Amino acid sequence: MKAVLNSIELTDLNRQDLSFAIPSFAPHLGLCDSLRCCGILQPPWIRAKADGTKIIVDGFKRLEWAFQESFERIRVLLFAAECDPVKLLLDRIEAKLFGPALNVAEKAQIVSKLVQNVAPEVMRSRYLPRLGIAAHPEAIRKWCRLAASDEHLLAAAALEEISDRTALELVDWEKEAQREIISLLKELRCSFSIQSEILERVREIALREESSELQVLNVPELAAIKDDKNRNHREKTQALRDWLYRRRYPRIKAREERFMRDLAASDLPARVRITPPPAFEGQNWQLQLFFGNPGELEQMLGDLQVFAGSAELRSLMGVGNGSSQRAQGHDRKV
């Protein structure tokens, strides 16, 4: 493609034309200091259009700095009007693919532009592997939807306040619910795996209660956890997970709490632990013994023999109470 180094007036640029823009939604720390110290080392790419206007292809942040510093003219790499804009866009994408690591927001915008400008087979074979994105239609659809999302979602993904998986899940949420959950996750600063767990719980509760994600999130209990000044972010995260679990599985949680109360009040020998089956479903209870010598084990086994025939153990296990298992099954239907 024809391109020449040339000096242009900044006022000739049409800054509203963002055809080639791939914003990062994240600050470039030190860029302005570098520009003040060394100037613009790599000339921005500019495309001349047939109507005489000029648009930015590459170098948006450098040119923004030049405008802020009141530059009148700047040296650029100027592409002629007859240059193929699609080829120029692909060259820009190629440069970004082999430049600094791309964040989630940049990947989403690149995918969106590729969908509009290249054949699907070229996209799957050449570009998606470099981006680390699965070549499934549904995955591509979600990345495109992310590219078109509000800035608050793109910025949170770009700054790694939320994971790429979380960002892609949130594209199908209503905007107010997106804002609520992002604000919450930023406060919690939890791991990406726990982010996924929280989103899954909220989604399940909304489905179970036939409500929306926003309705699940807009409750006083959740706000109290988020705004609690006496808890650090890890304690808030655990409190939220417990609250979501109780709301998602109210009968199972009630059964767990009753089990713990009964266990604390029982005559179970010291240094013995009883563990119920997951969600109290099934018959595989576990018993753990901790002893230091044969005599201690012998005494413990004698005490356990008495405990095994007690009503306390039958109550702990819910023996003969089929209704509790039916209720727990109801919790898991949705």
Side-chain angles (χ1 to χ4, degrees), residues 173 197-219 222 240-250 331 334:
W173 288 33
E197 174 194 315
I198 291 171
L199 262 63
E200 182 178 0
R201 284 279 186 264
V202 171
R203 204 168 48 243
E204 288 175 344
I205 293 167
L207 180 62
R208 182 177 185 269
E209 298 180 358
E210 298 183 349
S211 62
S212 68
E213 288 87 358
L214 184 61
Q215 289 173 309
V216 175
L217 296 168
N218 276 340
V219 293
L222 195 150
L240 174 66
R241 294 172 75 190
D242 290 343
W243 179 81
L244 289 171
Y245 184 80
R246 281 196 303 274
R247 189 162 171 185
R248 173 63 181 91
Y249 303 113
D331 270 350
V334 181

Side-chain angles (χ1 to χ4, degrees), residues 6-42:
N6 205 342
S7 179
I8 66 168
E9 292 187 10
L10 286 181
T11 53
D12 289 342
L13 287 175
N14 178 4
R15 297 167 67 192
Q16 280 67 53
D17 191 326
L18 302 177
S19 305
F20 293 91
I22 306 175
S24 67
F25 292 93
H28 282 236
L29 301 177
L31 176 61
C32 289
D33 290 339
S34 174
L35 290 168
R36 290 190 191 99
C37 175
C38 304
I40 297 178
L41 302 178
Q42 294 288 338

